Amino acid sequence: GAQAVGMGKDAQSVQAGAELFLKANEILGYDLLDVCLNGPKEKLDSTVISQPAIYVTSLAAVEVLRARDGGQQIIDSVDVTCGLSLGEYTALAFAGAFSFEDGLKLVKLRGEAMQEASDAAKSAMVSVIGLDSEKVQMLCDAANEEVDEQNKVQIANFLCTGNYAVSGGVKGVEAVEAKAKSFKARMTVRLAVAGAFHTRFMEPAVSRLEAALALTNIKTPRIPVISNVDAQPHSDPDTIKKILARQVTSPVQWETTVKTLMSKGLKKSYELGPGKVIAGIVKRMNKGADIKNITA
């Protein structure tokens, strides 16, 4: 949900960044920059477009950083990378696991497959603000007692204490929203996504992703890329393919990822791409965290 109309504008003043959007047009078959700059918002919010848009804008942000004084040294000094959900593809491209083009082809297919899975069943996602993970699980259990199997919900994104995304059938999500106050949640925010990402609702997308990943040339990343599925880095290309296929139906272990980085001595980090959600999460987990945003 990091997409916003106007993204990609800064990258146009950097030749390498602008070129990524031109390359993207050839692969996607439409003018991605035009949708990024001018919307309409409903179009940009659709998963089929938002996923390529965030991927390309995030890698364009790397070029914005590279073009700055000392930017190349910063890029060379990065020794670990990770990304939330779709961002894992950006992180893998940054780490050299696959080319910009191959990554974009995967992201295009991922967006299409997830949209189709969303269209096949009425599902949604909601952020629950102000509770720890145990309380959110109890809230999900209470909501699940009131709905049928098709509408059950689960925690899909473990972001940080006080911010967890719940995914599932629309009726289940509505039950979560109705009960949240009685569980002392501060608020709930319905997410601008097509459906219940990171749950069994995305199962139809898995086989299509597996087929595309099987045909993709994936190399050992030059630096560790931490996976959303198990909060561990993986260097074996076949393992990376398996993990990426599983990622769409598995909860995002972002809280564990950030805690692991901090426990291993993370000193400084950069959030590259649209929005400032990651920086917000990192600062909530460590008020003194040194994290800079580079947008494009």
Side-chain angles (χ1 to χ4, degrees), residues 39-116:
K41 185 181 184 302
E42 296 71 43
K43 189 174 181 184
L44 185 60
D45 279 348
S46 75
T47 256
V48 173
I49 290 176
S50 66
Q51 294 202 35
I54 294 169
Y55 173 84
V56 175
T57 305
S58 299
L59 288 168
V62 177
E63 300 309 326
V64 169
L65 174 59
R66 200 192 306 276
R68 288 186 185 177
D69 271 354
Q72 186 61 54
Q73 281 110 305
I74 291 167
I75 290 166
D76 291 342
S77 73
V78 172
D79 52 13
V80 61
T81 182
C82 51
L84 200 158
S85 189
L86 169 78
E88 192 166 329
Y89 286 77
T90 319
L92 284 161
F94 176 82
F98 44 66
S99 67
F100 167 79
E101 291 85 351
D102 283 351
L104 182 55
K105 285 172 190 166
L106 286 173
V107 166
K108 176 179 186 281
L109 180 122
R110 183 181 187 265
E112 290 165 356
M114 287 170 76
Q115 184 68 54
E116 276 179 31

Side-chain angles (χ1 to χ4, degrees), residues 143-159:
N144 285 338
E145 280 174 22
E146 293 190 2
V147 297
D148 62 7
E149 197 58 42
Q150 291 307 305
N151 279 287
K152 293 221 185 307
V153 293
Q154 68 180 74
I155 302 176
N157 290 351
F158 289 84
L159 297 174

Side-chain angles (χ1 to χ4, degrees), residues 194 251 261 269 272 290 292:
L261 287 169
S269 45
L272 296 134
D290 183 352
K292 287 190 171 58

Side-chain angles (χ1 to χ4, degrees), residues 4-12 21 31-41 44 49 53 57 296:
V5 174
M7 66 195 242
K9 183 170 177 280
D10 296 352
Q12 299 317 300
F21 281 92
D31 190 339
L32 180 68
L33 182 63
D34 180 56
V35 187
C36 286
L37 293 181
N38 306 310
K41 185 181 184 302
L44 185 60
I49 290 176
T57 305

Side-chain angles (χ1 to χ4, degrees), residues 109 113 202-214 245-246 248-249:
L109 180 122
M202 292 295 115
E203 202 62 58
V206 174
S207 55
R208 285 187 62 190
L209 260 174
E210 281 174 339
L213 285 159
R246 272 179 56 206
V248 287
T249 55

Side-chain angles (χ1 to χ4, degrees), residues 19-31 104 108:
E19 280 172 5
L20 291 183
F21 281 92
L22 293 174
K23 281 184 194 167
N25 292 353
E26 287 173 33
I27 291 166
L28 298 170
Y30 60 85
D31 190 339
L104 182 55
K108 176 179 186 281

Side-chain angles (χ1 to χ4, degrees), residues 44-285:
L44 185 60
D45 279 348
S46 75
T47 256
V48 173
I49 290 176
S50 66
Q51 294 202 35
I54 294 169
Y55 173 84
V56 175
T57 305
S58 299
L59 288 168
V62 177
E63 300 309 326
V64 169
L65 174 59
R66 200 192 306 276
R68 288 186 185 177
D69 271 354
Q72 186 61 54
Q73 281 110 305
I74 291 167
I75 290 166
D76 291 342
S77 73
V78 172
D79 52 13
V80 61
T81 182
C82 51
L84 200 158
S85 189
L86 169 78
E88 192 166 329
Y89 286 77
T90 319
L92 284 161
F94 176 82
F98 44 66
S99 67
F100 167 79
E101 291 85 351
D102 283 351
L104 182 55
K105 285 172 190 166
L106 286 173
V107 166
K108 176 179 186 281
L109 180 122
R110 183 181 187 265
E112 290 165 356
M114 287 170 76
Q115 184 68 54
E116 276 179 31
S118 300
D119 291 344
K122 286 191 163 62
S123 63
M125 285 184 84
V126 62
S127 269
V128 180
I129 311 295
L131 299 179
D132 63 24
S133 57
E134 280 175 31
K135 279 267 167 48
V136 177
Q137 187 56 57
M138 286 163 66
L139 173 56
C140 288
D141 293 343
N144 285 338
E145 280 174 22
E146 293 190 2
V147 297
D148 62 7
E149 197 58 42
Q150 291 307 305
N151 279 287
K152 293 221 185 307
V153 293
Q154 68 180 74
I155 302 176
N157 290 351
F158 289 84
L159 297 174
C160 61
T161 294
N163 190 351
Y164 299 95
V166 170
S167 270
V170 171
K171 287 199 172 98
V173 168
E174 285 169 353
V176 166
E177 290 168 335
K179 290 174 178 297
K181 280 278 189 282
S182 66
F183 278 81
K184 305 280 195 291
R186 204 163 82 238
M187 62 175 179
T188 59
V189 181
R190 190 73 74 97
L191 297 178
V193 295
F197 298 166
H198 302 291
T199 69
R200 60 182 172 74
F201 279 87
M202 292 295 115
E203 202 62 58
V206 174
S207 55
R208 285 187 62 190
L209 260 174
E210 281 174 339
L213 285 159
L215 299 171
T216 304
N217 177 25
I218 295 186
K219 301 191 283 288
T220 302
R222 61 184 172 79
I223 54 175
V225 181
I226 301 177
S227 161
N228 286 198
V229 173
D230 58 6
Q232 297 293 320
H234 299 280
S235 55
D236 172 57
D238 286 334
T239 306
I240 291 169
K241 289 180 182 186
K242 286 193 185 84
I243 287 269
L244 287 179
R246 272 179 56 206
Q247 193 225 44
V248 287
T249 55
S250 302
V252 175
Q253 301 294 342
W254 192 253
E255 185 173 17
T256 310
T257 297
V258 177
K259 280 181 177 166
T260 302
L261 287 169
M262 288 175 177
S263 72
K264 296 208 183 283
L266 178 71
K267 291 282 183 285
K268 189 170 188 177
S269 45
Y270 292 82
E271 178 179 6
L272 296 134
K276 296 187 174 182
V277 173
I278 303 296
I281 290 170
V282 171
K283 288 201 164 135
R284 278 186 68 169
M285 291 173 72

